[in-house]
Amino acid sequence: AELDTLDIIVLAAILLGTVAYFTKGKLWGVTKDPYASSLANANGAKAGKTRNLIEKMDESGKNCIIFYGSQTGTAEDYASRLAKEGKSRFGLETMVADLEDYDYENLDSVPSGKVVIFVLATYGEGEPTDNAVDFYEFITGDTPTFTEDSDPPLANLNFVAFGLGNNTYEHYNSMVRNVTKALEKLGAHRIGEAGEGDDGAGTMEEDFLAWKDPMWKALQEKMGLEEREAVYEPVFGIVERDGLTKDSPEVYLGEPNKMHLDGSPKGPFNAHNPYIAPISKSYELFSVKDRNCLHMEVDVSGSNLSYQTGDHIAVWPTNPGEEVDRFLDVLGLTGKRNTVISVKALEPTAKVPFPTPTTYDAVVRYHMEICSPVSRQFLATLAAFAPDEETKTEMAKLGGDKDYFHQKVNVHHLNIARVLQTVGKGKKWTNVPFSALIEGVTKLQPRYYSISSSSLEHPKVISITAVVESQHLPGREDPFKGVATNYLLALKEKQNGDPSPTPFGLSYEITGPRNRYDGIHVPVHVRHSNFKLPSDPTKPIILVGPGTGVAPFRGFVRERVKQAQNGETVGKTILFFGCRKRSEDFLYEKEWEEAKKVLGDNFELVVAFSREGAKKVYVQHLLKQRAEEINDLLLKKAYFYVCGDAANMAREVNTVLGQILAEKRGISDSKAEEIVKNMRAANQYQEDVW
Ligand code: FAD
């Protein structure tokens, strides 16, 4: 088998037609292991790479660059998919690029025979994703300065744009809208419509699929492209390394980078480099059997990590063993799970998304989002590798028929391995190239949690309040389980010596690669947010946080308690919380009583129980009941905060607040809405919603 794969790689290298492939990629030359990927060098990986996009496209012979602004990986995934499709259907020479890796002054020098595609997610309150901040500021700035002096500056630039947004947010898809507007103002030519995917309506994937066909058509016309029979070309070469075993010191078993592999992780700890933090304490917050909510305290005193009340902590999960086994099994890889492989990009602009050499097991367990919803397009791609004709036909049907796909796959929350099992009726999918899986399955993403501790009280201990995702779905025997929250549940069970209620919980490899997470550790990093208490503690605050939306408010209230204990004057704090029943899921009930003892009348908790009386009561109902007081507090420049469910609650609270202002101030609805808008603009109304 080794010869075959090696042959393919050599062949591919020749096909790519450059000896430079081996000489230019200097990384291959200098690292000890000729197969080690550049990712292994963690932060050093980007050193020495050009930030000049023209130079990059020229040296790699590309005529289509696809930039992504991505926070959770979806935009990046869509960018890769466009790159593949552009290449296989139209022979475009595509490359995918992280917006953060390039400069933009020479966008005006992109020749008109090339095309730039932007795939841009909008984050939070209409903000750019972290990796798109610089680009966004540059392009929407008052006078972006370009290299040449032409007028309009971007007259030669042809671009395509797709946005990922959520209509439940105020600034729906504002990134793609604003960037498109800015580019057009600078004279650039948009090809096709600027697409908009809507996560709020749950139609992101279908919006993307519906957008891209007319876009390709428009691009085809503009660039005179010929459509050809789509051929699959692997992006990555996989070489099995007979000389190495999973115990060889240079083999990555899930370590995120070289420092972790060497056992000496150092800061800065960030989205590329997690801190393996000890969990100092973990316990259950609900008192019912079938629902779980965790309180977990993570000790970051051994690191230089810091946080402020209101920030987010990212948890790096691993996949449950059950699903790892299912995935390896259906692909016929179980026997090879510990085989060491090196993965190499077959073209210079592709990046291997994990460090190698590694094992199949480690890739699937630590780096692939194998439990996530599978895309219809990916099923269509995999049809070509089906074990027999019947399976192939069924896969093609799932890939091509939106309604059929919805009914067979979506409603049951099936992940890729479950689809392959069902469609293949138990046959193994041994023809699927592993490269196709690396390309088609997104990178396993860290999950964010609103920090529920106060940095004033505990600067080095970060707490998480997370509800464990477990859903019973019709037509499915086992419940659907969330990846990260069940991983955290398993950690909590281990720490407390609880018996695991499900085999699922037992199956996580919670001691981590080489047992380095043993003694109950979890990989984390901190993300700073704008969700912050007023700098003046005497300002009143109104907090609306039902369910786990109360997380950051636990931090806020504890901070005010600490301030009061330090002798500071603190303003009124009124917290609207909601849950089902006092006896089941009343989060932190005792802690609020403690806070009340310190803050007295300056702290008030208002609780909506949705399943106690005959009528369901939610936080927005109670807000209405307190209309008078809320209006008064707002007139005293109170800050208003909402956290939790973006789809319904946050939007309704926004509406209710407008109604309160209209009623109490005797103004029109539209005037009231304008006031709420202005409050948002002035940071007097802040949201932390997901
Ligand atoms: P996942 O495995 O990621 O699944 C999550 C959901 O994705 C599922 O419910 C389902 O709807 C969908 N899904 C996954 N797989 C499939 C499939 N195969 N088919 C169809 N649908 C699928 N949560 C908290 O509990 N507390 C907090 O304080 C908190 N703060 C947050 C702050 C921010 C800024 C953000 C962005 C999110 C926050 N969250 C919080 C949510 C949290 O990040 C996670 O999304 C949540 O815990 C679920 O993660 P999981 O890995 O367990 O579930």
Side-chain angles (χ1 to χ4, degrees), residues 323-373:
E323 292 298 337
V324 174
D325 293 350
R326 185 192 311 280
F327 187 93
L328 292 171
D329 176 63
V330 75
L331 291 155
L333 289 170
T334 304
K336 287 203 207 174
R337 71 187 316 150
N338 291 323
T339 300
V340 176
I341 52 171
S342 284
V343 180
K344 210 168 168 181
L346 294 178
E347 55 167 296
T349 59
K351 270 198 253 174
V352 181
F354 44 80
T356 85
T358 181
T359 64
Y360 288 108
D361 185 287
V363 173
V364 176
R365 192 181 299 275
Y366 289 95
H367 301 292
M368 286 182 169
E369 195 78 73
I370 56 168
C371 297
S372 69

Short mmCIF file of all heavy atoms in Angstrom, two decimals, residues 323-373:
data_model
loop_
_atom_site.label_atom_id
_atom_site.label_comp_id
_atom_site.label_asym_id
_atom_site.label_seq_id
_atom_site.Cartn_x
_atom_site.Cartn_y
_atom_site.Cartn_z
N GLU A 323 -18.21 7.73 18.41
CA GLU A 323 -18.32 8.28 17.06
C GLU A 323 -17.01 8.14 16.28
O GLU A 323 -17.02 7.97 15.07
CB GLU A 323 -18.78 9.74 17.11
CG GLU A 323 -20.22 9.93 17.60
CD GLU A 323 -21.27 9.27 16.69
OE1 GLU A 323 -21.00 9.05 15.49
OE2 GLU A 323 -22.37 8.96 17.20
N VAL A 324 -15.88 8.20 16.99
CA VAL A 324 -14.59 7.96 16.33
C VAL A 324 -14.58 6.53 15.78
O VAL A 324 -14.22 6.29 14.63
CB VAL A 324 -13.42 8.16 17.33
CG1 VAL A 324 -12.09 7.78 16.69
CG2 VAL A 324 -13.38 9.60 17.83
N ASP A 325 -15.04 5.59 16.61
CA ASP A 325 -15.06 4.18 16.19
C ASP A 325 -15.98 3.99 14.98
O ASP A 325 -15.66 3.28 14.04
CB ASP A 325 -15.57 3.29 17.33
CG ASP A 325 -14.58 3.26 18.50
OD1 ASP A 325 -13.46 3.75 18.33
OD2 ASP A 325 -14.96 2.75 19.58
N ARG A 326 -17.13 4.64 15.03
CA ARG A 326 -18.10 4.51 13.94
C ARG A 326 -17.49 5.01 12.63
O ARG A 326 -17.59 4.37 11.58
CB ARG A 326 -19.35 5.32 14.28
CG ARG A 326 -20.49 5.16 13.27
CD ARG A 326 -21.59 6.21 13.47
NE ARG A 326 -22.05 6.35 14.84
CZ ARG A 326 -22.92 5.55 15.44
NH1 ARG A 326 -23.44 4.55 14.76
NH2 ARG A 326 -23.28 5.75 16.68
N PHE A 327 -16.83 6.14 12.71
CA PHE A 327 -16.23 6.76 11.54
C PHE A 327 -15.14 5.86 10.94
O PHE A 327 -15.15 5.55 9.75
CB PHE A 327 -15.65 8.12 11.96
CG PHE A 327 -15.12 8.98 10.86
CD1 PHE A 327 -15.93 9.94 10.26
CD2 PHE A 327 -13.80 8.87 10.43
CE1 PHE A 327 -15.44 10.76 9.26
CE2 PHE A 327 -13.30 9.68 9.42
CZ PHE A 327 -14.12 10.63 8.83
N LEU A 328 -14.22 5.41 11.81
CA LEU A 328 -13.13 4.56 11.32
C LEU A 328 -13.69 3.26 10.76
O LEU A 328 -13.25 2.77 9.73
CB LEU A 328 -12.13 4.27 12.45
CG LEU A 328 -11.33 5.48 12.95
CD1 LEU A 328 -10.53 5.13 14.20
CD2 LEU A 328 -10.38 6.00 11.86
N ASP A 329 -14.70 2.73 11.43
CA ASP A 329 -15.27 1.45 11.01
C ASP A 329 -15.90 1.53 9.63
O ASP A 329 -15.62 0.72 8.75
CB ASP A 329 -16.31 1.01 12.05
CG ASP A 329 -17.00 -0.27 11.61
OD1 ASP A 329 -16.29 -1.30 11.50
OD2 ASP A 329 -18.22 -0.25 11.34
N VAL A 330 -16.73 2.52 9.40
CA VAL A 330 -17.48 2.55 8.14
C VAL A 330 -16.53 2.82 6.97
O VAL A 330 -16.79 2.44 5.82
CB VAL A 330 -18.65 3.57 8.20
CG1 VAL A 330 -18.17 5.00 8.11
CG2 VAL A 330 -19.68 3.27 7.11
N LEU A 331 -15.38 3.42 7.25
CA LEU A 331 -14.41 3.67 6.19
C LEU A 331 -13.39 2.54 6.06
O LEU A 331 -12.46 2.61 5.27
CB LEU A 331 -13.70 5.00 6.43
CG LEU A 331 -14.67 6.19 6.24
CD1 LEU A 331 -14.21 7.39 7.02
CD2 LEU A 331 -14.82 6.51 4.76
N GLY A 332 -13.57 1.51 6.88
CA GLY A 332 -12.65 0.37 6.83
C GLY A 332 -11.27 0.70 7.38
O GLY A 332 -10.27 0.12 6.96
N LEU A 333 -11.20 1.64 8.32
CA LEU A 333 -9.90 2.07 8.84
C LEU A 333 -9.61 1.57 10.26
O LEU A 333 -8.57 1.89 10.83
CB LEU A 333 -9.81 3.60 8.83
CG LEU A 333 -9.70 4.28 7.46
CD1 LEU A 333 -9.87 5.78 7.58
CD2 LEU A 333 -8.36 3.94 6.82
N THR A 334 -10.54 0.77 10.81
CA THR A 334 -10.36 0.37 12.20
C THR A 334 -9.02 -0.33 12.43
O THR A 334 -8.30 -0.02 13.38
CB THR A 334 -11.52 -0.55 12.64
OG1 THR A 334 -12.73 0.15 12.40
CG2 THR A 334 -11.41 -0.90 14.11
N GLY A 335 -8.68 -1.24 11.53
CA GLY A 335 -7.44 -2.00 11.68
C GLY A 335 -6.20 -1.11 11.58
O GLY A 335 -5.11 -1.47 12.01
N LYS A 336 -6.38 0.04 10.97
CA LYS A 336 -5.23 0.93 10.76
C LYS A 336 -5.26 2.13 11.69
O LYS A 336 -4.54 3.09 11.46
CB LYS A 336 -5.32 1.48 9.34
CG LYS A 336 -4.99 0.52 8.24
CD LYS A 336 -4.57 1.40 7.07
CE LYS A 336 -4.81 0.79 5.73
NZ LYS A 336 -4.51 1.75 4.68
N ARG A 337 -6.11 2.09 12.70
CA ARG A 337 -6.31 3.33 13.46
C ARG A 337 -5.01 3.88 14.05
O ARG A 337 -4.85 5.09 14.16
CB ARG A 337 -7.37 3.15 14.54
CG ARG A 337 -6.94 2.26 15.70
CD ARG A 337 -8.10 1.98 16.67
NE ARG A 337 -8.87 3.17 16.97
CZ ARG A 337 -10.18 3.16 17.26
NH1 ARG A 337 -10.85 2.03 17.28
NH2 ARG A 337 -10.80 4.26 17.54
N ASN A 338 -4.08 3.00 14.41
CA ASN A 338 -2.83 3.49 14.99
C ASN A 338 -1.69 3.56 13.98
O ASN A 338 -0.54 3.81 14.34
CB ASN A 338 -2.43 2.61 16.18
CG ASN A 338 -3.40 2.82 17.34
OD1 ASN A 338 -3.85 3.95 17.57
ND2 ASN A 338 -3.73 1.74 18.04
N THR A 339 -2.00 3.33 12.72
CA THR A 339 -0.97 3.46 11.68
C THR A 339 -0.55 4.92 11.60
O THR A 339 -1.38 5.82 11.63
CB THR A 339 -1.56 3.02 10.32
OG1 THR A 339 -1.96 1.66 10.45
CG2 THR A 339 -0.56 3.17 9.21
N VAL A 340 0.75 5.13 11.51
CA VAL A 340 1.25 6.51 11.45
C VAL A 340 1.22 6.99 10.00
O VAL A 340 1.64 6.28 9.09
CB VAL A 340 2.67 6.60 12.04
CG1 VAL A 340 3.23 8.01 11.89
CG2 VAL A 340 2.65 6.18 13.50
N ILE A 341 0.69 8.18 9.81
CA ILE A 341 0.63 8.76 8.47
C ILE A 341 1.25 10.16 8.46
O ILE A 341 1.23 10.86 9.45
CB ILE A 341 -0.83 8.88 7.95
CG1 ILE A 341 -1.71 9.62 8.96
CG2 ILE A 341 -1.40 7.53 7.61
CD1 ILE A 341 -3.10 9.97 8.43
N SER A 342 1.80 10.49 7.30
CA SER A 342 2.19 11.87 7.07
C SER A 342 1.25 12.40 6.01
O SER A 342 0.90 11.70 5.06
CB SER A 342 3.62 11.97 6.58
OG SER A 342 4.48 11.78 7.67
N VAL A 343 0.84 13.62 6.17
CA VAL A 343 -0.07 14.23 5.22
C VAL A 343 0.62 15.46 4.66
O VAL A 343 1.18 16.26 5.40
CB VAL A 343 -1.40 14.62 5.90
CG1 VAL A 343 -2.36 15.25 4.89
CG2 VAL A 343 -2.04 13.41 6.57
N LYS A 344 0.57 15.56 3.34
CA LYS A 344 1.29 16.64 2.69
C LYS A 344 0.34 17.30 1.71
O LYS A 344 -0.39 16.61 1.00
CB LYS A 344 2.43 15.98 1.93
CG LYS A 344 3.64 16.81 1.77
CD LYS A 344 4.71 15.87 1.27
CE LYS A 344 5.90 16.64 0.80
NZ LYS A 344 6.95 15.78 0.30
N ALA A 345 0.36 18.60 1.66
CA ALA A 345 -0.46 19.28 0.67
C ALA A 345 0.16 19.05 -0.70
O ALA A 345 1.37 19.17 -0.86
CB ALA A 345 -0.53 20.76 0.99
N LEU A 346 -0.67 18.69 -1.68
CA LEU A 346 -0.14 18.42 -3.01
C LEU A 346 -0.01 19.69 -3.84
O LEU A 346 0.40 19.65 -4.98
CB LEU A 346 -1.02 17.40 -3.73
CG LEU A 346 -1.02 16.01 -3.09
CD1 LEU A 346 -1.96 15.09 -3.84
CD2 LEU A 346 0.38 15.43 -3.08
N GLU A 347 -0.48 20.78 -3.29
CA GLU A 347 -0.22 22.03 -3.98
C GLU A 347 0.16 23.08 -2.95
O GLU A 347 -0.28 23.02 -1.80
CB GLU A 347 -1.42 22.45 -4.81
CG GLU A 347 -2.70 22.54 -4.01
CD GLU A 347 -3.75 23.25 -4.83
OE1 GLU A 347 -3.53 24.44 -5.12
OE2 GLU A 347 -4.74 22.61 -5.18
N PRO A 348 0.99 24.03 -3.38
CA PRO A 348 1.64 24.89 -2.40
C PRO A 348 0.69 25.79 -1.60
O PRO A 348 1.06 26.22 -0.52
CB PRO A 348 2.60 25.74 -3.24
CG PRO A 348 2.27 25.47 -4.65
CD PRO A 348 1.48 24.24 -4.74
N THR A 349 -0.51 26.05 -2.09
CA THR A 349 -1.36 26.98 -1.33
C THR A 349 -2.29 26.27 -0.35
O THR A 349 -2.99 26.91 0.41
CB THR A 349 -2.21 27.85 -2.26
OG1 THR A 349 -3.01 26.99 -3.06
CG2 THR A 349 -1.36 28.74 -3.11
N ALA A 350 -2.32 24.94 -0.39
CA ALA A 350 -3.19 24.22 0.55
C ALA A 350 -2.46 24.01 1.87
O ALA A 350 -1.25 23.85 1.89
CB ALA A 350 -3.61 22.89 -0.05
N LYS A 351 -3.21 24.05 2.96
CA LYS A 351 -2.61 23.85 4.28
C LYS A 351 -3.15 22.57 4.89
O LYS A 351 -4.36 22.36 4.90
CB LYS A 351 -3.04 24.99 5.22
CG LYS A 351 -2.13 26.19 5.21
CD LYS A 351 -2.39 27.04 6.46
CE LYS A 351 -3.13 28.32 6.14
NZ LYS A 351 -3.54 29.15 7.22
N VAL A 352 -2.28 21.74 5.41
CA VAL A 352 -2.76 20.55 6.13
C VAL A 352 -3.31 21.06 7.47
O VAL A 352 -2.63 21.76 8.19
CB VAL A 352 -1.61 19.55 6.37
CG1 VAL A 352 -2.13 18.31 7.09
CG2 VAL A 352 -0.95 19.17 5.06
N PRO A 353 -4.57 20.74 7.77
CA PRO A 353 -5.20 21.36 8.93
C PRO A 353 -4.82 20.78 10.29
O PRO A 353 -5.46 21.09 11.27
CB PRO A 353 -6.70 21.18 8.65
CG PRO A 353 -6.79 20.01 7.75
CD PRO A 353 -5.51 19.93 6.98
N PHE A 354 -3.81 19.95 10.35
CA PHE A 354 -3.36 19.40 11.64
C PHE A 354 -1.90 19.03 11.48
O PHE A 354 -1.42 18.85 10.36
CB PHE A 354 -4.20 18.18 12.04
CG PHE A 354 -4.42 17.22 10.90
CD1 PHE A 354 -3.45 16.31 10.53
CD2 PHE A 354 -5.61 17.24 10.19
CE1 PHE A 354 -3.64 15.45 9.46
CE2 PHE A 354 -5.82 16.37 9.11
CZ PHE A 354 -4.83 15.48 8.75
N PRO A 355 -1.17 18.92 12.61
CA PRO A 355 0.25 18.58 12.48
C PRO A 355 0.45 17.09 12.22
O PRO A 355 -0.31 16.26 12.72
CB PRO A 355 0.82 18.99 13.83
CG PRO A 355 -0.31 19.00 14.79
CD PRO A 355 -1.57 19.22 14.00
N THR A 356 1.46 16.75 11.47
CA THR A 356 1.77 15.35 11.19
C THR A 356 3.28 15.15 11.34
O THR A 356 4.01 16.13 11.33
CB THR A 356 1.32 14.92 9.76
OG1 THR A 356 2.33 15.24 8.81
CG2 THR A 356 0.02 15.55 9.37
N PRO A 357 3.79 13.93 11.46
CA PRO A 357 3.10 12.65 11.37
C PRO A 357 2.12 12.44 12.53
O PRO A 357 2.38 12.88 13.64
CB PRO A 357 4.23 11.63 11.39
CG PRO A 357 5.35 12.30 12.09
CD PRO A 357 5.24 13.75 11.69
N THR A 358 1.06 11.73 12.19
CA THR A 358 0.02 11.48 13.20
C THR A 358 -0.61 10.12 12.89
O THR A 358 -0.08 9.38 12.07
CB THR A 358 -1.00 12.64 13.17
OG1 THR A 358 -1.98 12.42 14.16
CG2 THR A 358 -1.69 12.78 11.81
N THR A 359 -1.70 9.81 13.57
CA THR A 359 -2.38 8.54 13.27
C THR A 359 -3.80 8.84 12.79
O THR A 359 -4.32 9.93 13.04
CB THR A 359 -2.48 7.65 14.53
OG1 THR A 359 -3.29 8.33 15.49
CG2 THR A 359 -1.11 7.36 15.13
N TYR A 360 -4.40 7.88 12.10
CA TYR A 360 -5.80 8.07 11.67
C TYR A 360 -6.67 8.37 12.89
O TYR A 360 -7.53 9.23 12.87
CB TYR A 360 -6.32 6.81 10.98
CG TYR A 360 -5.75 6.57 9.59
CD1 TYR A 360 -4.84 5.55 9.36
CD2 TYR A 360 -6.13 7.37 8.52
CE1 TYR A 360 -4.32 5.32 8.09
CE2 TYR A 360 -5.62 7.16 7.25
CZ TYR A 360 -4.71 6.13 7.04
OH TYR A 360 -4.19 5.92 5.78
N ASP A 361 -6.42 7.63 13.95
CA ASP A 361 -7.22 7.80 15.16
C ASP A 361 -7.14 9.24 15.69
O ASP A 361 -8.15 9.86 15.99
CB ASP A 361 -6.74 6.82 16.25
CG ASP A 361 -7.61 6.86 17.49
OD1 ASP A 361 -7.51 7.84 18.25
OD2 ASP A 361 -8.42 5.93 17.70
N ALA A 362 -5.92 9.76 15.76
CA ALA A 362 -5.73 11.10 16.32
C ALA A 362 -6.39 12.16 15.43
O ALA A 362 -7.00 13.10 15.93
CB ALA A 362 -4.25 11.40 16.50
N VAL A 363 -6.27 12.00 14.13
CA VAL A 363 -6.88 12.98 13.22
C VAL A 363 -8.39 13.02 13.44
O VAL A 363 -8.99 14.09 13.58
CB VAL A 363 -6.58 12.62 11.74
CG1 VAL A 363 -7.35 13.54 10.80
CG2 VAL A 363 -5.09 12.70 11.45
N VAL A 364 -8.99 11.84 13.49
CA VAL A 364 -10.44 11.77 13.60
C VAL A 364 -10.91 12.22 14.99
O VAL A 364 -11.90 12.93 15.13
CB VAL A 364 -10.93 10.33 13.29
CG1 VAL A 364 -12.42 10.20 13.49
CG2 VAL A 364 -10.53 9.95 11.87
N ARG A 365 -10.18 11.86 16.00
CA ARG A 365 -10.58 12.16 17.38
C ARG A 365 -10.37 13.63 17.75
O ARG A 365 -11.18 14.24 18.42
CB ARG A 365 -9.78 11.28 18.34
CG ARG A 365 -10.29 11.26 19.75
CD ARG A 365 -9.40 10.38 20.65
NE ARG A 365 -9.36 8.99 20.21
CZ ARG A 365 -10.27 8.07 20.57
NH1 ARG A 365 -11.27 8.40 21.34
NH2 ARG A 365 -10.16 6.83 20.14
N TYR A 366 -9.26 14.20 17.31
CA TYR A 366 -8.90 15.55 17.78
C TYR A 366 -9.08 16.66 16.75
O TYR A 366 -9.04 17.83 17.12
CB TYR A 366 -7.45 15.58 18.27
CG TYR A 366 -7.24 14.83 19.56
CD1 TYR A 366 -6.81 13.51 19.57
CD2 TYR A 366 -7.51 15.46 20.78
CE1 TYR A 366 -6.64 12.82 20.77
CE2 TYR A 366 -7.33 14.79 21.97
CZ TYR A 366 -6.90 13.46 21.97
OH TYR A 366 -6.73 12.80 23.15
N HIS A 367 -9.20 16.32 15.49
CA HIS A 367 -9.15 17.40 14.50
C HIS A 367 -10.34 17.51 13.56
O HIS A 367 -10.44 18.47 12.82
CB HIS A 367 -7.86 17.29 13.67
CG HIS A 367 -6.62 17.35 14.50
ND1 HIS A 367 -6.23 18.49 15.15
CD2 HIS A 367 -5.71 16.39 14.81
CE1 HIS A 367 -5.11 18.25 15.82
NE2 HIS A 367 -4.78 16.98 15.64
N MET A 368 -11.21 16.50 13.52
CA MET A 368 -12.30 16.57 12.55
C MET A 368 -13.64 16.72 13.26
O MET A 368 -13.91 16.03 14.24
CB MET A 368 -12.34 15.29 11.72
CG MET A 368 -11.26 15.17 10.70
SD MET A 368 -11.54 13.63 9.80
CE MET A 368 -10.39 13.85 8.45
N GLU A 369 -14.50 17.58 12.72
CA GLU A 369 -15.82 17.78 13.30
C GLU A 369 -16.72 16.66 12.77
O GLU A 369 -17.61 16.89 11.95
CB GLU A 369 -16.32 19.17 12.88
CG GLU A 369 -17.48 19.73 13.64
CD GLU A 369 -17.14 20.31 15.01
OE1 GLU A 369 -16.54 21.39 15.10
OE2 GLU A 369 -17.52 19.67 16.00
N ILE A 370 -16.48 15.43 13.25
CA ILE A 370 -17.17 14.27 12.66
C ILE A 370 -18.64 14.15 13.09
O ILE A 370 -19.38 13.38 12.51
CB ILE A 370 -16.46 12.92 12.98
CG1 ILE A 370 -16.30 12.75 14.49
CG2 ILE A 370 -15.13 12.82 12.26
CD1 ILE A 370 -15.88 11.34 14.90
N CYS A 371 -19.04 14.86 14.14
CA CYS A 371 -20.43 14.72 14.61
C CYS A 371 -21.35 15.79 14.02
O CYS A 371 -22.55 15.74 14.24
CB CYS A 371 -20.48 14.82 16.13
SG CYS A 371 -19.58 13.50 16.93
N SER A 372 -20.80 16.73 13.31
CA SER A 372 -21.61 17.88 12.86
C SER A 372 -22.52 17.50 11.70
O SER A 372 -22.38 16.43 11.11
CB SER A 372 -20.68 19.01 12.45
OG SER A 372 -20.00 18.63 11.27
N PRO A 373 -23.47 18.37 11.39
CA PRO A 373 -24.36 18.06 10.26
C PRO A 373 -23.54 17.93 8.99
O PRO A 373 -22.63 18.70 8.74
CB PRO A 373 -25.27 19.29 10.16
CG PRO A 373 -25.00 20.12 11.34
CD PRO A 373 -23.75 19.66 11.98
#
